[in-house]
């Protein structure tokens, strides 16, 4: 079974400051990793994913995450945040062995990012 | 066009009632899911269906019964609602053999 730990439940930052949202996972098998974002009163949107290949993955709105297998981490970073980045961010993991509709995501408890002016 | 839609968006009901939440996806995906998000924003999978067949059935009270009339629809029926059922329920879908899931806007269920 997998588990995900998001170390910070809330992260307040000022606009244009850098931010890092931490995510660690536990699994006995290889995993795929995801970051989802949930804006207030909305559903979850996939922000970025690591399936294979380069360990550094990027989103279209400036976020990036790096898969570190030795540290079992997948931290999310942005060099300069905007007020519009205020949202809840969820790290999720899925093992690579399940197939055919069994691909369940195990989520962390979320990190609320608040960007202040 | 809405990719994954859910109805209703809000549902307020009393303990003991029976209610249903509907989900539809127009993405042509084969797999659909139900997740529950509790008051602390913790998300947990409840069920998954692949082409109308139940695949994942987590430890969920049997008062919850999913139904998939076709692969574009996955409904959730809840019998004898309890206070602890209050949560936001999210539907999601994904293509077969894919790990990318697309979520609906959620249904906020409040049981009084």
């Amino acid at each position: 079974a997998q588990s995900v730990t998001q170390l910070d439940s809330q992260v307040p930052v000022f606009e244009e400051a850098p931010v890092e949202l931490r995510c660690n996972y536990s699994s006995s098998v290889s995993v795929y990793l995801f970051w989802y974002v949930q804006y207030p009163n909305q559903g979850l949107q996939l922000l970025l994913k690591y399936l294979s290949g380069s360990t550094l993955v990027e989103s279209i709105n400036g976020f990036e995450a790096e898969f570190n297998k030795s540290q079992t981490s997948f931290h999310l970073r942005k060099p300069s945040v905007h007020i519009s980045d205020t949202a809840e961010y969820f790290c999720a993991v899925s093992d690579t062995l399940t197939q055919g509709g069994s691909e369940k995501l195990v989520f962390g408890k979320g990190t609320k990012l608040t960007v202040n002016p | 066009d809405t990719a994954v839609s859910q109805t209703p968006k809000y549902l307020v009901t009393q303990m003991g009632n029976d209610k249903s939440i509907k989900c539809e996806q127009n993405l042509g995906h084969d797999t659909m899911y139900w997740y529950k998000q509790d008051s602390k924003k913790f998300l947990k999978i409840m069920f998954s269906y692949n082409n109308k067949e139940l695949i994942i059935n987590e430890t969920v009270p049997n008062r919850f019964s999913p139904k998939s009339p076709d692969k574009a629809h996955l409904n959730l029926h809840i019998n004898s609602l309890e206070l602890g059922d209050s949560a936001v329920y999210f539907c999601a879908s994904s293509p077969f053999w894919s790990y990318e899931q697309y979520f609906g806007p959620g249904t906020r269920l409040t049981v009084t």
Side-chain angles (χ1 to χ4, degrees):
Chain A
Q2 294 81 41
S3 66
V4 177
T5 302
Q6 291 184 244
L7 296 162
D8 306 299
S9 59
Q10 297 188 54
V11 174
V13 294
F14 289 109
E15 197 173 16
E16 298 184 7
V19 72
E20 177 180 80
L21 307 183
R22 295 179 292 171
C23 172
N24 288 88
Y25 69 91
S26 172
S27 177
S28 57
V29 299
S30 297
V31 296
Y32 297 134
L33 293 154
F34 306 84
W35 276 99
Y36 280 83
V37 58
Q38 185 178 26
Y39 297 104
N41 298 314
Q42 293 187 28
L44 281 80
Q45 300 173 31
L46 180 64
L47 186 61
L48 45 75
K49 62 184 185 285
Y50 171 77
L51 302 181
S52 63
S54 172
T55 57
L56 183 65
V57 291
E58 299 176 353
S59 72
I60 58 172
N61 57 355
F63 283 94
E64 64 179 32
E66 186 159 20
F67 170 52
N68 187 319
K69 188 174 181 180
S70 62
Q71 297 188 4
T72 60
S73 67
F74 191 55
H75 301 332
L76 181 69
R77 302 184 183 94
K78 189 170 185 179
S80 175
V81 294
H82 302 290
I83 296 216
S84 60
D85 293 323
T86 294
E88 192 95 25
Y89 291 79
F90 293 91
C91 183
V93 64
S94 179
D95 72 61
T96 61
L97 302 179
T98 54
Q99 300 166 358
S102 308
E103 301 87 359
K104 67 177 182 180
L105 292 172
V106 175
F107 285 89
K109 293 191 175 183
T111 297
K112 183 173 173 57
L113 174 65
T114 303
V115 182
N116 298 302
Chain B
D1 287 340
T2 303
V4 182
S5 59
Q6 295 179 226
T7 53
K9 190 172 174 64
Y10 299 97
L11 185 53
V12 181
T13 187
Q14 292 184 329
M15 285 175 56
N17 285 348
D18 303 338
K19 291 293 179 184
S20 291
I21 306 171
K22 296 185 177 182
C23 177
E24 176 180 3
Q25 55 94 3
N26 62 5
L27 298 167
H29 291 167
D30 298 285
T31 309
M32 296 184 73
Y33 309 80
W34 278 111
Y35 287 85
K36 179 180 179 181
Q37 186 177 45
D38 63 23
S39 58
K40 296 184 179 179
K41 299 272 182 133
F42 185 53
L43 269 159
K44 193 172 183 338
I45 191 166
M46 302 172 68
F47 304 102
S48 80
Y49 268 75
N50 185 60
N51 202 12
K52 303 193 296 176
E53 181 184 352
L54 180 65
I55 303 296
I56 295 174
N57 186 350
E58 292 290 291
T59 310
V60 176
N62 58 15
R63 298 182 294 103
F64 290 78
S65 52
K67 285 186 172 55
S68 182
D70 55 62
K71 74 174 194 176
H73 296 85
L74 180 61
N75 304 323
L76 183 66
H77 188 76
I78 315 169
N79 290 325
S80 303
L81 278 154
E82 300 178 356
L83 292 176
D85 298 331
S86 294
V88 181
Y89 292 85
F90 287 101
C91 178
S93 72
S94 70
F96 195 61
W97 296 100
S98 172
Y99 292 85
E100 292 187 39
Q101 296 185 18
Y102 296 80
F103 283 76
T107 296
R108 183 176 294 276
L109 171 65
T110 303
V111 182
T112 62

